[in-house]
């Protein structure tokens, strides 16, 4: 695909813009900004990755992974702006999830420890875990508000913050993981994932593409569980004040 032919792909954006104008949705600015940002970001990262793939310098690989964790943490933390220190807790959860998941993939020799494997797989693992953390914060905020009376009643009866919020915590963890496992149930029947499709378009055997996609989806199951449980353990106390009152 050439840069010239790539311009024709913007016809899809034009369709979205026209539909937004027709229905008066007011999304024209978001569509335009999203299109420009995604195009520039992908082009820049494409050249960066090409340089890293040729250099195979471990420090460049670590720098890219740190950037991924930082951006993912910032994005997920926006779901819990009123929670002090949530960014660092998410960053820690994502880092631990990345280290455990990629450590197993490499130590079990499921993937080769080269930039071509480490960076794309890390991006998918961190991105998936970011979504889990964001969903957890959304559900926690909503569940805490709806269960405020129950939580405050338990606190008044002498329960610790952990005991008072335990049922809410479990519901939020479960809800944050459901999309990952729902995707696993329908993959191949409803959708063909991006990595698998990309490999097939690039000329790889469909069977080889499927093997890699199975590897990715199975690693997503553990990364979703690790990140959900970690962020719940690290952050539940943030919904309370220092005096163990529920934040308003």
């Amino acid at each position: 695909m050439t840069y010239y032919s790539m311009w024709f792909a913007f016809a899809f954006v034009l369709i979205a813009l026209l539909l937004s104008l027709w229905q008066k949705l007011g999304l024209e600015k978001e569509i335009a900004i999203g299109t420009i940002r995604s195009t520039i970001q992908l082009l820049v990262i494409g050249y960066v990755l090409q340089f890293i793939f040729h250099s195979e310098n471990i420090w460049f690989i670590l720098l890219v992974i740190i950037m991924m964790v930082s951006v993912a943490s910032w994005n997920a933390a926006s779901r819990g702006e009123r929670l002090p220190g949530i960014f660092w807790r998410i960053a820690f959860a994502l880092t631990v999830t990345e280290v455990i998941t990629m450590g197993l993939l490499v130590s079990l020799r499921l993937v080769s420890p080269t930039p071509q494997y480490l960076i794309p797989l890390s991006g998918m693992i961190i991105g998936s875990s970011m979504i889990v953390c964001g969903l957890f914060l959304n559900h926690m905020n909503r569940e805490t508000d709806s269960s405020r009376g129950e939580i405050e009643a338990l606190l008044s009866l002498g329960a610790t913050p952990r005991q008072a919020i335990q049922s809410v915590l479990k519901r939020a963890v479960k809800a944050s993981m459901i999309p990952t496992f729902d995707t696993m149930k329908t993959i191949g029947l409803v959708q063909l994932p991006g990595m698998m499709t990309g490999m097939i378009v690039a000329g790889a055997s469909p069977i080889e593409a499927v093997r890699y996609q199975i590897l990715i989806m199975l690693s997503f199951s553990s990364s979703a569980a690790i990140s959900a449980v970690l962020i719940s353990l690290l952050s539940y106390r943030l919904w309370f004040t220092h005096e163990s009152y529920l934040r308003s």
Side-chain angles (χ1 to χ4, degrees), residues 33-49:
I33 292 174
T35 302
I36 293 169
R37 281 189 58 176
S38 62
T39 302
I40 293 174
Q41 288 166 190
L42 286 172
L43 285 172
V44 170
I45 198 64
Y47 284 108
V48 170
L49 291 179

mmCIF file with all atom_site columns, all heavy atoms in Angstrom, residues 33-49:
data_model
loop_
_atom_site.group_PDB
_atom_site.id
_atom_site.type_symbol
_atom_site.label_atom_id
_atom_site.label_alt_id
_atom_site.label_comp_id
_atom_site.label_asym_id
_atom_site.label_entity_id
_atom_site.label_seq_id
_atom_site.pdbx_PDB_ins_code
_atom_site.Cartn_x
_atom_site.Cartn_y
_atom_site.Cartn_z
_atom_site.occupancy
_atom_site.B_iso_or_equiv
_atom_site.pdbx_formal_charge
_atom_site.auth_seq_id
_atom_site.auth_comp_id
_atom_site.auth_asym_id
_atom_site.auth_atom_id
_atom_site.pdbx_PDB_model_num
ATOM 1   N N   . ILE A 1 33 ? -10.092 15.553 14.933 1.00 0.00 ? 33 ILE A N   1
ATOM 2   C CA  . ILE A 1 33 ? -8.921  15.459 15.819 1.00 0.00 ? 33 ILE A CA  1
ATOM 3   C C   . ILE A 1 33 ? -8.444  14.015 15.933 1.00 0.00 ? 33 ILE A C   1
ATOM 4   O O   . ILE A 1 33 ? -7.239  13.733 15.866 1.00 0.00 ? 33 ILE A O   1
ATOM 5   C CB  . ILE A 1 33 ? -9.256  16.020 17.216 1.00 0.00 ? 33 ILE A CB  1
ATOM 6   C CG1 . ILE A 1 33 ? -9.486  17.532 17.133 1.00 0.00 ? 33 ILE A CG1 1
ATOM 7   C CG2 . ILE A 1 33 ? -8.129  15.710 18.212 1.00 0.00 ? 33 ILE A CG2 1
ATOM 8   C CD1 . ILE A 1 33 ? -9.956  18.152 18.437 1.00 0.00 ? 33 ILE A CD1 1
ATOM 9   N N   . GLY A 1 34 ? -9.383  13.078 16.107 1.00 0.00 ? 34 GLY A N   1
ATOM 10  C CA  . GLY A 1 34 ? -9.018  11.671 16.212 1.00 0.00 ? 34 GLY A CA  1
ATOM 11  C C   . GLY A 1 34 ? -8.321  11.159 14.962 1.00 0.00 ? 34 GLY A C   1
ATOM 12  O O   . GLY A 1 34 ? -7.339  10.409 15.042 1.00 0.00 ? 34 GLY A O   1
ATOM 13  N N   . THR A 1 35 ? -8.819  11.582 13.795 1.00 0.00 ? 35 THR A N   1
ATOM 14  C CA  . THR A 1 35 ? -8.214  11.163 12.532 1.00 0.00 ? 35 THR A CA  1
ATOM 15  C C   . THR A 1 35 ? -6.796  11.691 12.388 1.00 0.00 ? 35 THR A C   1
ATOM 16  O O   . THR A 1 35 ? -5.862  10.949 12.042 1.00 0.00 ? 35 THR A O   1
ATOM 17  C CB  . THR A 1 35 ? -9.066  11.651 11.345 1.00 0.00 ? 35 THR A CB  1
ATOM 18  O OG1 . THR A 1 35 ? -10.395 11.123 11.465 1.00 0.00 ? 35 THR A OG1 1
ATOM 19  C CG2 . THR A 1 35 ? -8.452  11.224 10.028 1.00 0.00 ? 35 THR A CG2 1
ATOM 20  N N   . ILE A 1 36 ? -6.621  12.986 12.664 1.00 0.00 ? 36 ILE A N   1
ATOM 21  C CA  . ILE A 1 36 ? -5.302  13.615 12.518 1.00 0.00 ? 36 ILE A CA  1
ATOM 22  C C   . ILE A 1 36 ? -4.314  13.009 13.517 1.00 0.00 ? 36 ILE A C   1
ATOM 23  O O   . ILE A 1 36 ? -3.183  12.654 13.159 1.00 0.00 ? 36 ILE A O   1
ATOM 24  C CB  . ILE A 1 36 ? -5.409  15.140 12.713 1.00 0.00 ? 36 ILE A CB  1
ATOM 25  C CG1 . ILE A 1 36 ? -6.222  15.756 11.574 1.00 0.00 ? 36 ILE A CG1 1
ATOM 26  C CG2 . ILE A 1 36 ? -4.016  15.778 12.769 1.00 0.00 ? 36 ILE A CG2 1
ATOM 27  C CD1 . ILE A 1 36 ? -6.600  17.202 11.797 1.00 0.00 ? 36 ILE A CD1 1
ATOM 28  N N   . ARG A 1 37 ? -4.744  12.887 14.774 1.00 0.00 ? 37 ARG A N   1
ATOM 29  C CA  . ARG A 1 37 ? -3.843  12.360 15.809 1.00 0.00 ? 37 ARG A CA  1
ATOM 30  C C   . ARG A 1 37 ? -3.444  10.915 15.523 1.00 0.00 ? 37 ARG A C   1
ATOM 31  O O   . ARG A 1 37 ? -2.257  10.560 15.608 1.00 0.00 ? 37 ARG A O   1
ATOM 32  C CB  . ARG A 1 37 ? -4.507  12.448 17.182 1.00 0.00 ? 37 ARG A CB  1
ATOM 33  C CG  . ARG A 1 37 ? -4.468  13.823 17.809 1.00 0.00 ? 37 ARG A CG  1
ATOM 34  C CD  . ARG A 1 37 ? -4.940  13.794 19.243 1.00 0.00 ? 37 ARG A CD  1
ATOM 35  N NE  . ARG A 1 37 ? -4.134  12.882 20.062 1.00 0.00 ? 37 ARG A NE  1
ATOM 36  C CZ  . ARG A 1 37 ? -4.292  12.730 21.374 1.00 0.00 ? 37 ARG A CZ  1
ATOM 37  N NH1 . ARG A 1 37 ? -5.232  13.416 22.002 1.00 0.00 ? 37 ARG A NH1 1
ATOM 38  N NH2 . ARG A 1 37 ? -3.539  11.893 22.047 1.00 0.00 ? 37 ARG A NH2 1
ATOM 39  N N   . SER A 1 38 ? -4.419  10.079 15.184 1.00 0.00 ? 38 SER A N   1
ATOM 40  C CA  . SER A 1 38 ? -4.099  8.668  14.945 1.00 0.00 ? 38 SER A CA  1
ATOM 41  C C   . SER A 1 38 ? -3.171  8.515  13.746 1.00 0.00 ? 38 SER A C   1
ATOM 42  O O   . SER A 1 38 ? -2.244  7.691  13.776 1.00 0.00 ? 38 SER A O   1
ATOM 43  C CB  . SER A 1 38 ? -5.383  7.866  14.738 1.00 0.00 ? 38 SER A CB  1
ATOM 44  O OG  . SER A 1 38 ? -6.101  8.324  13.606 1.00 0.00 ? 38 SER A OG  1
ATOM 45  N N   . THR A 1 39 ? -3.398  9.306  12.699 1.00 0.00 ? 39 THR A N   1
ATOM 46  C CA  . THR A 1 39 ? -2.542  9.218  11.510 1.00 0.00 ? 39 THR A CA  1
ATOM 47  C C   . THR A 1 39 ? -1.110  9.617  11.823 1.00 0.00 ? 39 THR A C   1
ATOM 48  O O   . THR A 1 39 ? -0.154  8.910  11.479 1.00 0.00 ? 39 THR A O   1
ATOM 49  C CB  . THR A 1 39 ? -3.101  10.112 10.388 1.00 0.00 ? 39 THR A CB  1
ATOM 50  O OG1 . THR A 1 39 ? -4.444  9.717  10.080 1.00 0.00 ? 39 THR A OG1 1
ATOM 51  C CG2 . THR A 1 39 ? -2.239  9.997  9.138  1.00 0.00 ? 39 THR A CG2 1
ATOM 52  N N   . ILE A 1 40 ? -0.954  10.757 12.501 1.00 0.00 ? 40 ILE A N   1
ATOM 53  C CA  . ILE A 1 40 ? 0.387   11.242 12.834 1.00 0.00 ? 40 ILE A CA  1
ATOM 54  C C   . ILE A 1 40 ? 1.081   10.282 13.798 1.00 0.00 ? 40 ILE A C   1
ATOM 55  O O   . ILE A 1 40 ? 2.256   9.935  13.621 1.00 0.00 ? 40 ILE A O   1
ATOM 56  C CB  . ILE A 1 40 ? 0.315   12.661 13.445 1.00 0.00 ? 40 ILE A CB  1
ATOM 57  C CG1 . ILE A 1 40 ? -0.160  13.661 12.386 1.00 0.00 ? 40 ILE A CG1 1
ATOM 58  C CG2 . ILE A 1 40 ? 1.681   13.085 13.990 1.00 0.00 ? 40 ILE A CG2 1
ATOM 59  C CD1 . ILE A 1 40 ? -0.407  15.059 12.926 1.00 0.00 ? 40 ILE A CD1 1
ATOM 60  N N   . GLN A 1 41 ? 0.343   9.845  14.837 1.00 0.00 ? 41 GLN A N   1
ATOM 61  C CA  . GLN A 1 41 ? 0.933   8.946  15.826 1.00 0.00 ? 41 GLN A CA  1
ATOM 62  C C   . GLN A 1 41 ? 1.392   7.638  15.198 1.00 0.00 ? 41 GLN A C   1
ATOM 63  O O   . GLN A 1 41 ? 2.486   7.132  15.511 1.00 0.00 ? 41 GLN A O   1
ATOM 64  C CB  . GLN A 1 41 ? -0.087  8.670  16.934 1.00 0.00 ? 41 GLN A CB  1
ATOM 65  C CG  . GLN A 1 41 ? -0.313  9.866  17.861 1.00 0.00 ? 41 GLN A CG  1
ATOM 66  C CD  . GLN A 1 41 ? -1.541  9.729  18.741 1.00 0.00 ? 41 GLN A CD  1
ATOM 67  O OE1 . GLN A 1 41 ? -1.956  10.675 19.411 1.00 0.00 ? 41 GLN A OE1 1
ATOM 68  N NE2 . GLN A 1 41 ? -2.151  8.560  18.745 1.00 0.00 ? 41 GLN A NE2 1
ATOM 69  N N   . LEU A 1 42 ? 0.586   7.080  14.306 1.00 0.00 ? 42 LEU A N   1
ATOM 70  C CA  . LEU A 1 42 ? 0.949   5.809  13.677 1.00 0.00 ? 42 LEU A CA  1
ATOM 71  C C   . LEU A 1 42 ? 2.140   5.969  12.737 1.00 0.00 ? 42 LEU A C   1
ATOM 72  O O   . LEU A 1 42 ? 3.020   5.098  12.682 1.00 0.00 ? 42 LEU A O   1
ATOM 73  C CB  . LEU A 1 42 ? -0.256  5.236  12.930 1.00 0.00 ? 42 LEU A CB  1
ATOM 74  C CG  . LEU A 1 42 ? -1.360  4.642  13.813 1.00 0.00 ? 42 LEU A CG  1
ATOM 75  C CD1 . LEU A 1 42 ? -2.592  4.292  12.983 1.00 0.00 ? 42 LEU A CD1 1
ATOM 76  C CD2 . LEU A 1 42 ? -0.848  3.410  14.549 1.00 0.00 ? 42 LEU A CD2 1
ATOM 77  N N   . LEU A 1 43 ? 2.165   7.078  12.002 1.00 0.00 ? 43 LEU A N   1
ATOM 78  C CA  . LEU A 1 43 ? 3.298   7.313  11.108 1.00 0.00 ? 43 LEU A CA  1
ATOM 79  C C   . LEU A 1 43 ? 4.601   7.479  11.897 1.00 0.00 ? 43 LEU A C   1
ATOM 80  O O   . LEU A 1 43 ? 5.633   6.907  11.540 1.00 0.00 ? 43 LEU A O   1
ATOM 81  C CB  . LEU A 1 43 ? 3.048   8.554  10.251 1.00 0.00 ? 43 LEU A CB  1
ATOM 82  C CG  . LEU A 1 43 ? 2.040   8.389  9.104  1.00 0.00 ? 43 LEU A CG  1
ATOM 83  C CD1 . LEU A 1 43 ? 1.748   9.737  8.457  1.00 0.00 ? 43 LEU A CD1 1
ATOM 84  C CD2 . LEU A 1 43 ? 2.559   7.404  8.056  1.00 0.00 ? 43 LEU A CD2 1
ATOM 85  N N   . VAL A 1 44 ? 4.535   8.244  12.979 1.00 0.00 ? 44 VAL A N   1
ATOM 86  C CA  . VAL A 1 44 ? 5.729   8.470  13.802 1.00 0.00 ? 44 VAL A CA  1
ATOM 87  C C   . VAL A 1 44 ? 6.207   7.155  14.421 1.00 0.00 ? 44 VAL A C   1
ATOM 88  O O   . VAL A 1 44 ? 7.387   6.821  14.358 1.00 0.00 ? 44 VAL A O   1
ATOM 89  C CB  . VAL A 1 44 ? 5.440   9.511  14.902 1.00 0.00 ? 44 VAL A CB  1
ATOM 90  C CG1 . VAL A 1 44 ? 6.596   9.556  15.910 1.00 0.00 ? 44 VAL A CG1 1
ATOM 91  C CG2 . VAL A 1 44 ? 5.232   10.884 14.294 1.00 0.00 ? 44 VAL A CG2 1
ATOM 92  N N   . ILE A 1 45 ? 5.269   6.398  15.010 1.00 0.00 ? 45 ILE A N   1
ATOM 93  C CA  . ILE A 1 45 ? 5.672   5.149  15.664 1.00 0.00 ? 45 ILE A CA  1
ATOM 94  C C   . ILE A 1 45 ? 6.169   4.133  14.637 1.00 0.00 ? 45 ILE A C   1
ATOM 95  O O   . ILE A 1 45 ? 7.027   3.301  14.936 1.00 0.00 ? 45 ILE A O   1
ATOM 96  C CB  . ILE A 1 45 ? 4.512   4.561  16.502 1.00 0.00 ? 45 ILE A CB  1
ATOM 97  C CG1 . ILE A 1 45 ? 5.052   3.543  17.519 1.00 0.00 ? 45 ILE A CG1 1
ATOM 98  C CG2 . ILE A 1 45 ? 3.475   3.889  15.616 1.00 0.00 ? 45 ILE A CG2 1
ATOM 99  C CD1 . ILE A 1 45 ? 5.960   4.136  18.554 1.00 0.00 ? 45 ILE A CD1 1
ATOM 100 N N   . GLY A 1 46 ? 5.667   4.226  13.412 1.00 0.00 ? 46 GLY A N   1
ATOM 101 C CA  . GLY A 1 46 ? 6.148   3.334  12.359 1.00 0.00 ? 46 GLY A CA  1
ATOM 102 C C   . GLY A 1 46 ? 7.627   3.550  12.081 1.00 0.00 ? 46 GLY A C   1
ATOM 103 O O   . GLY A 1 46 ? 8.407   2.584  12.004 1.00 0.00 ? 46 GLY A O   1
ATOM 104 N N   . TYR A 1 47 ? 8.029   4.818  11.966 1.00 0.00 ? 47 TYR A N   1
ATOM 105 C CA  . TYR A 1 47 ? 9.441   5.123  11.730 1.00 0.00 ? 47 TYR A CA  1
ATOM 106 C C   . TYR A 1 47 ? 10.291  4.793  12.956 1.00 0.00 ? 47 TYR A C   1
ATOM 107 O O   . TYR A 1 47 ? 11.434  4.315  12.821 1.00 0.00 ? 47 TYR A O   1
ATOM 108 C CB  . TYR A 1 47 ? 9.608   6.596  11.354 1.00 0.00 ? 47 TYR A CB  1
ATOM 109 C CG  . TYR A 1 47 ? 9.184   6.902  9.940  1.00 0.00 ? 47 TYR A CG  1
ATOM 110 C CD1 . TYR A 1 47 ? 8.014   7.607  9.675  1.00 0.00 ? 47 TYR A CD1 1
ATOM 111 C CD2 . TYR A 1 47 ? 9.952   6.478  8.853  1.00 0.00 ? 47 TYR A CD2 1
ATOM 112 C CE1 . TYR A 1 47 ? 7.616   7.880  8.381  1.00 0.00 ? 47 TYR A CE1 1
ATOM 113 C CE2 . TYR A 1 47 ? 9.555   6.739  7.546  1.00 0.00 ? 47 TYR A CE2 1
ATOM 114 C CZ  . TYR A 1 47 ? 8.395   7.444  7.315  1.00 0.00 ? 47 TYR A CZ  1
ATOM 115 O OH  . TYR A 1 47 ? 7.997   7.705  6.025  1.00 0.00 ? 47 TYR A OH  1
ATOM 116 N N   . VAL A 1 48 ? 9.744   5.039  14.159 1.00 0.00 ? 48 VAL A N   1
ATOM 117 C CA  . VAL A 1 48 ? 10.478  4.718  15.386 1.00 0.00 ? 48 VAL A CA  1
ATOM 118 C C   . VAL A 1 48 ? 10.715  3.216  15.484 1.00 0.00 ? 48 VAL A C   1
ATOM 119 O O   . VAL A 1 48 ? 11.818  2.766  15.788 1.00 0.00 ? 48 VAL A O   1
ATOM 120 C CB  . VAL A 1 48 ? 9.703   5.224  16.624 1.00 0.00 ? 48 VAL A CB  1
ATOM 121 C CG1 . VAL A 1 48 ? 10.328  4.675  17.907 1.00 0.00 ? 48 VAL A CG1 1
ATOM 122 C CG2 . VAL A 1 48 ? 9.693   6.741  16.663 1.00 0.00 ? 48 VAL A CG2 1
ATOM 123 N N   . LEU A 1 49 ? 9.678   2.427  15.221 1.00 0.00 ? 49 LEU A N   1
ATOM 124 C CA  . LEU A 1 49 ? 9.816   0.977  15.303 1.00 0.00 ? 49 LEU A CA  1
ATOM 125 C C   . LEU A 1 49 ? 10.774  0.438  14.246 1.00 0.00 ? 49 LEU A C   1
ATOM 126 O O   . LEU A 1 49 ? 11.528  -0.509 14.508 1.00 0.00 ? 49 LEU A O   1
ATOM 127 C CB  . LEU A 1 49 ? 8.444   0.308  15.156 1.00 0.00 ? 49 LEU A CB  1
ATOM 128 C CG  . LEU A 1 49 ? 7.470   0.513  16.316 1.00 0.00 ? 49 LEU A CG  1
ATOM 129 C CD1 . LEU A 1 49 ? 6.153   -0.184 16.040 1.00 0.00 ? 49 LEU A CD1 1
ATOM 130 C CD2 . LEU A 1 49 ? 8.068   0.026  17.629 1.00 0.00 ? 49 LEU A CD2 1
#
